[in-house]
């Protein structure tokens, strides 16, 4: 919930109340999975597990997990309780219009967005397999461009990307910085309606098709209602939550040493 800006005292205020909520249940298995994911993120940032352990001051992985387990638990309790409090906050059309009128000069410009679809075909390491895969995708590209076959129908038949194949290869709207390497470079060099040549990644070869391009720039009510509605909703949730925190802080006594507060 990145739109909520709270300090450590606020965190423990919420934690104190949330721990008394009998409807809020988080299993040890959920905490263990979240902990493993967080540790994986730390290792990725450090560059390797060895470097991560060195940065941790020589602690063993078991010690790190044991020390961090309660912090992860507390973080999950706070986040779920926050969600339970703000999930029913809604925003009206008039509130969105007022938000735009008030903040339009300070709202950052939106990036240009591309609506992509993809056909992905993996290959077995080796020149013969790789060449066959490229030739096959070239033939699909030729059939789409010259024989009237649709990209989405061929994606449903031939693409082996489990996430997008059932929907005709549809990836949705993305902006620059979404992809990596050659895939990113080729994707955002395409023109509207253009199909890429086969692009190689670690997952195989891909054909990319640009179905639509939305220009970037300052958002307007007419073109960017969905984005503005989300911004207005986020601000309303943040304001509501911060007001609620201020009201309840006077009712909560936190029996903790501030010097020992972990970073949730």
């Amino acid at each position: 919930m990145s739109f909520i800006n709270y300090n450590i005292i606020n965190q423990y205020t919420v934690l104190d109340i949330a721990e008394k909520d009998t409807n809020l249940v988080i299993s040890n298995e959920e905490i263990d999975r979240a902990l493993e994911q967080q540790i994986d993120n730390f290792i990725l940032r450090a560059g390797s597990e060895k470097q991560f352990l060195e940065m941790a001051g020589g602690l063993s992985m078991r010690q790190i997990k044991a020390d961090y387990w309660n912090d992860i638990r507390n973080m999950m309790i706070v986040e779920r309780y926050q969600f339970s409090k703000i999930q029913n906050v809604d925003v009206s059309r008039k509130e969105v219009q007022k938000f735009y009128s008030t903040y339009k000069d300070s709202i950052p410009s939106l990036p240009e967005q591309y609506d992509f679809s993809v056909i992905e075909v993996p290959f077995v390491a080796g020149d013969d397999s790789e060449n066959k895969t490229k030739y096959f995708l070239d033939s699909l590209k030729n059939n789409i461009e010259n024989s009237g076959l649709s990209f989405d129908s061929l994606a449903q038949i031939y693409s082996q990307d489990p996430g997008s194949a059932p929907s005709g290869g549809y990836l949705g709207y993305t902006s620059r910085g979404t992809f990596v390497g050659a895939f990113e470079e080729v994707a955002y060099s395409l023109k509207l309606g253009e199909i890429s040549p086969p692009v190689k990644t670690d997952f195989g070869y891909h054909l990319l098709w640009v179905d639509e391009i939305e220009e970037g720039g300052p958002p307007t009510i007419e073109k960017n209602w969905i984005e503005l509605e989300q911004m207005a909703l986020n601000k309303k949730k943040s304001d509501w939550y911060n007001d609620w925190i201020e009201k309840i802080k006077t009712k909560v006594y936190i029996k903790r040493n501030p010097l020992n507060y972990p970073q949730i």
Side-chain angles (χ1 to χ4, degrees):
M1 307 224 171
S2 58
F3 55 83
I4 295 173
N5 181 18
Y6 51 83
N7 57 30
I8 294 175
I9 298 297
N10 287 354
Q11 293 175 28
Y12 275 107
T13 299
V14 177
L15 182 61
D16 185 83
I17 296 173
E19 286 180 323
K20 299 171 185 174
D21 187 343
T22 57
N23 293 319
L24 190 65
V25 178
I26 298 176
S27 68
N28 289 348
E29 289 75 16
E30 290 178 282
I31 299 171
D32 289 340
R33 285 195 298 271
L35 175 60
E36 289 296 334
Q37 185 175 3
Q38 187 75 318
I39 294 295
D40 288 344
N41 289 338
F42 287 154
I43 293 173
L44 184 62
R45 292 177 191 173
S48 69
E49 182 174 326
K50 181 180 179 181
Q51 289 175 300
F52 168 62
L53 292 175
E54 289 175 355
M55 293 170 62
L59 294 175
S60 69
M61 186 63 75
R62 177 175 291 185
Q63 288 174 306
I64 293 170
K65 290 181 178 180
D67 290 346
Y68 205 59
W69 195 91
N70 276 330
D71 288 349
I72 291 292
R73 170 191 173 274
N74 293 347
M75 178 187 69
M76 294 179 71
I77 290 174
V78 168
E79 287 184 348
R80 291 201 185 177
Y81 192 76
Q82 287 170 354
F83 179 76
S84 73
K85 300 300 293 184
I86 63 174
Q87 63 178 330
N88 294 322
V89 176
D90 204 354
V91 67
S92 68
R93 186 174 187 85
K94 285 185 178 180
E95 287 175 312
V96 177
Q97 292 169 334
K98 182 179 179 181
F99 170 84
Y100 178 71
S101 177
T102 302
Y103 298 103
K104 63 181 179 181
D105 293 334
S106 59
I107 298 174
S109 293
L110 297 174
E112 184 179 51
Q113 290 197 313
Y114 284 59
D115 187 15
F116 288 115
S117 292
V118 66
I119 297 175
E120 176 185 307
V121 179
F123 63 88
V124 179
D127 291 341
D128 188 50
S129 174
E130 189 169 341
N131 289 334
K132 286 181 178 179
T133 302
K134 288 174 64 178
Y135 178 80
F136 174 67
L137 286 179
D138 276 328
S139 68
L140 291 184
K141 181 175 186 291
N142 181 66
N143 284 330
I144 295 168
E145 293 175 335
N146 300 307
S147 301
L149 297 178
S150 69
F151 191 99
D152 56 354
S153 64
L154 292 180
Q156 288 178 327
I157 298 171
Y158 296 112
S159 180
Q160 296 186 44
D161 174 26
S164 65
S167 59
Y170 181 68
L171 295 178
Y173 284 94
T174 62
S175 54
R176 293 181 185 275
T178 302
F179 307 124
V180 295
F183 198 93
E184 169 94 1
E185 183 178 348
V186 172
Y188 295 102
S189 68
L190 297 174
K191 298 177 181 178
L192 180 63
E194 186 177 4
I195 299 173
S196 74
V199 183
K200 183 181 178 181
T201 71
D202 292 340
F203 300 99
Y205 274 95
H206 314 260
L207 290 183
L208 278 165
W209 173 49
V210 182
D211 183 40
E212 192 172 347
I213 298 176
E214 286 192 355
E215 294 182 2
T220 65
I221 288 285
E222 295 76 17
K223 290 177 56 180
N224 306 106
W225 177 265
I226 294 176
E227 292 88 347
L228 291 169
E229 184 179 41
Q230 189 61 54
M231 292 178 195
L233 178 61
N234 285 349
K235 186 177 188 308
K236 185 175 180 180
K237 286 182 176 181
S238 178
D239 290 346
W240 184 95
Y241 185 81
N242 288 332
D243 288 344
W244 175 77
I245 280 283
E246 291 306 313
K247 290 176 183 177
I248 66 168
K249 274 200 295 191
T250 59
K251 303 176 183 179
V252 176
Y253 176 68
I254 303 173
K255 299 178 181 179
R256 300 176 192 264
N257 181 355
L259 297 178
N260 295 329
Y261 284 164
Q263 294 293 326
I264 298 179

